[in-house]
Amino acid sequence: MGSRKIQQKLVSKQKKGKGKRWKKGQSSSSNPDIKTYREAAKNRFFQTSKGESSLTIDALAKHDEQQIDKDGDVSFKAESDVVSAAGKTFNTWATNWTECTNTTFGRVHRYWASNSAFHKEVLAVLAAVTEVIKTQGGSESETEYFAALMTALETTDSEESLAAVTYLLSLVLKRVPAQVLKSRFSEIAKQFLDVLVKHSEGQSTALLKSLLLCLALLLRVQEQATWSNSSTQRVYQGLLAFTVHRKPKVRKAAHQGVNIILRGGTFMTQGETAPPYHPAGSMTAKFCIQVIEQCGGSGESSDTLHILTLLKDIMGTFSLNSVKAVCETILRVMTLSNVMVTSCGMKALFGLFSGTPKPTTLNAELNAQIITALYDYQPSDNDVQPMKAWLAVMEAAHKNLARLDEKLCRSHLPRVFSICMTCLLSERMEVACSATKTMKELLKACLAPAMDGISVLVTSAPSGANTPLHKIIKALETGLGYQFHAAWGLVLQVFAVLFEVAGKECPLLFKKSVLSIANLRDSPRFPYKAELDHAIGAAVKYLGPRHVLEAVPLNITGDDDDYTFPRSWLIPVIRDNVGNTELGFFTTYFLPLAAKLKKRSLEAESTGNQVVCKSYDALQRQIWSLLPGFCNQPTDLTQSFKGICKILGSAISEREDLRVEVMSGLRKLINKSKEDEECKKEVARFAKNFLPILFNLFTTEPENTKDTTRLAVLETTKCYLHIADTALVNTYCDKCKEKFHEEGISSFKRQALLDLLLVMLPLVEEMRVKEIFQLVTQFLSDTDKTLQKKCYRVLEDLCGSPSPACQGFLTQNLPGIQGVLLNSLSSSSPSSKAPRLRCLINIFKLLPEEQKDFLLAVVPEAILCTKEIGEKARSASYLLLVEMGRAKIRWNKDENGALEDYFQMVMAGLGGSPQMVSSTLLALTRILYEFKASISSSLLETIVENLCILLTSKTREVVKAALGFMKVLLSAYPDTVLAPHLKQIMSSLVSQKEDCKHHFRFKAKEIYAKLIKKFGYETIFGLSPPSIHKVLVNIKKTQERAKKKKKEKEEESEEESDQEHFKSQPESMDELLRDTDSEEEGETKGAGKPRDRTQAKLAWLQEGGDIMDFLDPSASKKVLATKPGEKREQKTKKKEAEFKTAPDGRLIITESSDEEEPEKMAGDDEELDDLLNAIEQGAGNVKKTKKRKVEDLGSDEEGPAPKYKAGGGGIHRPIVKAKRSAPHDPASEYRAKKAGGDIKKTGKPDPYVYLPLNFQALNKRKKAKMTGRFTNLVKGAKKGAKKGAKKKKM
């Protein structure tokens, strides 16, 4: 009773008046003095409430009802989902309006804004319909909703309610059974049309959109036979009439409706049984043709533009005859030279070609006819956008033709290539780049798939025949003439693609092209060397080096050569691109040449001609550098290897300068031979010849201790051993073991033999594996640290090798290996830690059962190694800690219990020395991050408690590790998990010892920043003492500033991103229907800036030459969409130049003289200020020089003094320039006569002052003090400068 009276009082108070209320959005603009409730709420922060909470969903509903004011507007705008205890799948702010449980209308409840009158009307209608269905005992099916909404459509008069009803109908029609819509088609269609006719001129856009979508969904499900009825056709014609509506949204809805019917009709999506095209396609085509012919392309022609926009999406659904008629109409209307109509026509044709239409819609003959017709509509080469659009249409048309008929497409390619080559001469770089892209795409899409047929055609054609490929090459070769010098870079790009596409099949066709390209490099100041090298590289890669060198010989013979070697640039190009070619060509062509050049080099050295000696020596080394490329995937390995192996062996053993290249080539040959059994057998046959050479090289101590070739020797040995015979490997293994025990063996040789045994370990038998193990265990405690490390490396490979012999040995001897490792712990050197730990990792992976003693023995070592100096050792220790945790989980069924036990083992180290504590914290950090998902809340609480205690330690080493742990902890867990520990964490952070707090203040600041991001600024601020409030405020401001900058950067990147020229159309029925769903969501967003359409409709006529005949098809080339002579505006403004520039762009830098303008001297004060600021603030904070005014820069017409000097008589007489008498300038005494700057004068003051550089000037805290020292100096300098300027003006 008491609560009811209180409620009545509250209601009566509300009726009397609203009282004192804040204006909307201003409730937080004042800071109240009384904070009773705030303090109470703050005290309850993170405390568990006792008893049941009075905050329930019912209480919130009552509160919401009371918040409705007199006008009936809801004052809340919450749109987020609320968890409901009911059985509904959704429950939002809109749920209280309706009791609808049908998921069809889920979007109405979830995504809609409550401040829209239309949305409220929709909810009201849905609530009423749902109530009617429930009162009649309905099950809320789609059919029931559909019937109820159709009834509401008959009885509703207002546009707002009709819009709401039709919108709900557009949602439910997608799920109503098709049979219902087919049986009642006439009645439903008539009802929709009646409403549509009645409100076609109304103001409600939403109503018309929903009605059009309803009609489209109704017509979509009708059967194919129904479309022969005149009534169905009339309904569809009604929909078509709105495709040219004056309202854009209505028009777009009509376009989508037509698209849904023609593309997504139910009988059109039946797979193989579907008809080739929709019956309504011909009707649509006739309507489009009729509208275009009536409106034409002159004047505004808006209806024509709307129809062309529609055709862009639906032309691919028409029949062949309809497509032909529509294309003829489009081409006819494009002759009127309306820029907008031409653009939309191109888009429509592009949509047709890029949509991959069926042959029943667009066959090869019609495609070819359209391509031929489009040449009459080629725009001017300097008209950027129309030309790019035309090239895009031609590219799509040829790609589609290649799909339909490759032969016909080939015959059309030469003409389009000729046009593209003329585009390269355009004044506009965008046109040239677009033409280049088109040619490259056509080569890849149209020529590459048909190269097999083209190669047959070329080889079978008589000499002098002009095949399409010949014509294309001829057209591209014209681009190598000087007329195209500005576009040579683009031409070379096209040639590179052409070599890639046709080089392998028809290499002989390109000899002339390759020679012409190579000759271009000899042009003076040739600017496209990178593009040319890329093109020749493509020729080397695809034509092969033999054909390239036949076309462009090196002209290096070793006899009477030009010592400039003009073609030597070819060698690096071949080196970088050769591959998958004949190894025999290197043997027959390059090896004799290299031998001859080496001989000439030695001869020149003996005669003392060092220039010739060095030149030939460098050339022969460059030739040998080609060997790895020729060994990369050679095509004749089995035939050519036996002819080159002897030379390779002698080069490895005798030629130290060639050893690296030769071994690199040998490794590539070995890897290639693994792919083919015959090649492998051929290369392995010579293992007995190569391996002794490699063994001797590796075991011989080099003179230079930093010799890097030994690693290459070892890698080559490893590769060869993998393909060698097993018996041969066993023999070499036995020899290595014998030499290991020889008397007087050096330490270097012993280490080298261990490396060889390590390489052979996975390849030998189990018995020899055991012998190798026994050998290395003797040296695990050796004083030679390098030898000890290599022994551990052998053990590491033994434990991790997948070979059957090693696995069998491990299975039998694992306990023995564990004992060896534990016994050798005390004698292991720091350099051996990394392989030792990796060996332990492999052992823990193999342990099948729990061995707690072994685990307890290894854990301390793993913890202490986290502080090792070597990075590899530290990484291995972290991996070992993780692997031990995984092993612990694997050994026990209870995962939580196993982890808790493992963490307790590790945390035992927290009771040791400071170094042990910090190491333990690092170990805990790693394993906590690894197993964060499996750690229980009690274990986490224990960890956090220990962490908070250690944060208050006096030792910096411990606090540093604890802060690192805290940072990882905050990253690993969400706020909900860490919330119970927040107060404890904040308390420990602010309770650090003063020394540690100051020393690690920046690390602590990072943690505060993470806490603010995770829990919010207000929460952290409330839990912190006043001593760190300034830090928190600074963090907040920094984060807000960073967020703002990031947002601005994203907005700039969005603005700068180029939009696609043509938008892709929806491919599936789901996408089409999804487009209709997203329409209403798009309306709620803010409208963008209105586009300036007037600029897009402008066109210019190109003048000059003969009188233009507008009936000539080529007249369209002189109608430009780009203003002639207009240069592109640069997006970024250039920084104002600090120096004057001449008309040709040269910078003019002059010395200041007596005749300088006084304004020029005024800039010295600013430069002095900047210099002093730099001295005060340090080198890292130099201020940028302020931009000078335009007046200070002087006139652009001033340039350097002319070389000509007047002299003689007449006009050549000397001209004496009258000078005004000016007062004496004191600074002129110090000015040098023959040099720039000032000079010292004996007996007079120096012309400068010294500013002593003091290290304390870099201290930020003493910045103000240091600035004050120079204040008077700067003031005096400025005062003197002003006086001097005044005197000069007088």
Side-chain angles (χ1 to χ4, degrees), residues 406 410 447-460 505-506:
E406 287 183 355
R410 289 200 303 266
L447 210 61
M451 272 316 298
D452 293 336
I454 292 174
S455 61
V456 173
L457 179 66
V458 169
T459 50
S460 62
E505 287 77 6
C506 309

Side-chain angles (χ1 to χ4, degrees), residues 669-802:
L669 287 175
I670 294 167
N671 293 329
K672 161 66 178 173
S673 69
K674 293 177 182 178
E675 301 172 4
D676 183 66
E677 194 61 36
E678 189 177 348
C679 294
K680 182 179 177 181
K681 191 175 179 181
E682 176 69 17
V683 177
R685 193 160 61 92
F686 296 93
K688 61 181 181 295
N689 305 103
F690 278 103
L691 285 172
I693 298 172
L694 295 169
F695 284 156
N696 289 333
L697 275 176
F698 189 72
T699 54
T700 303
E701 188 169 359
E703 297 177 2
N704 183 10
T705 54
K706 295 182 179 180
D707 186 12
T708 56
T709 59
R710 293 189 70 251
L711 288 175
V713 173
L714 184 62
E715 186 63 28
T716 310
T717 307
K718 185 178 180 180
C719 288
Y720 227 133
L721 283 169
H722 274 80
I723 64 167
D725 185 49
T726 310
L728 187 65
V729 177
N730 289 330
T731 305
Y732 285 131
C733 180
D734 294 337
K735 286 183 180 179
C736 283
K737 285 185 291 181
E738 289 172 11
K739 290 191 175 185
F740 201 86
H741 294 290
E742 286 181 356
E743 292 184 7
I745 186 171
S746 64
S747 176
F748 173 83
K749 195 166 186 178
R750 185 172 281 174
Q751 293 167 15
L753 289 171
L754 267 179
D755 284 330
L756 292 175
L757 286 173
L758 179 66
V759 168
M760 288 185 274
L761 182 66
L763 307 171
V764 295
E765 300 169 352
E766 187 175 341
M767 179 186 69
R768 287 179 173 81
V769 171
K770 187 175 182 179
E771 292 172 358
I772 293 172
F773 172 71
Q774 291 171 352
L775 179 69
V776 297
T777 50
Q778 301 171 20
F779 299 95
L780 286 179
S781 301
D782 199 271
T783 53
D784 186 349
K785 295 179 181 179
T786 308
L787 184 65
Q788 185 189 113
K789 180 180 177 181
K790 290 188 182 297
C791 289
Y792 275 113
R793 285 289 312 279
V794 173
L795 277 182
E796 177 194 343
D797 275 29
L798 173 62
C799 296
S801 175

Side-chain angles (χ1 to χ4, degrees), residues 1242-1260:
T1242 54
K1244 291 190 177 183
D1246 290 340
Y1248 49 81
V1249 293
Y1250 286 105
L1251 296 175
L1253 297 177
N1254 187 359
F1255 183 76
Q1256 291 183 350
L1258 301 175
N1259 195 327
K1260 292 181 179 179

Side-chain angles (χ1 to χ4, degrees), residues 1131-1166:
K1131 290 184 179 178
T1132 55
K1133 294 181 179 179
K1134 290 185 179 178
K1135 189 178 179 181
E1136 291 181 9
E1138 296 291 343
F1139 302 102
K1140 292 180 287 185
T1141 54
D1144 60 353
R1146 290 178 291 109
L1147 289 176
I1148 302 169
I1149 305 172
T1150 55
E1151 281 283 340
S1152 58
S1153 60
D1154 294 339
E1155 290 79 16
E1156 271 187 313
E1157 294 292 332
E1159 288 83 7
K1160 209 160 191 178
M1161 303 293 289
D1164 295 344
D1165 295 340
E1166 295 175 355

Side-chain angles (χ1 to χ4, degrees), residues 308 570 577 881 1214 1220:
L308 290 173
L570 267 173
N577 295 279
L881 286 163
R1220 292 185 302 171

Side-chain angles (χ1 to χ4, degrees), residues 912-931:
S913 63
Q915 184 184 2
M916 186 65 184
V917 173
S918 63
S919 301
T920 306
L921 281 171
L922 291 174
L924 282 171
T925 304
R926 181 65 185 91
I927 59 176
L928 174 114
Y929 189 80
E930 182 68 28
F931 303 108

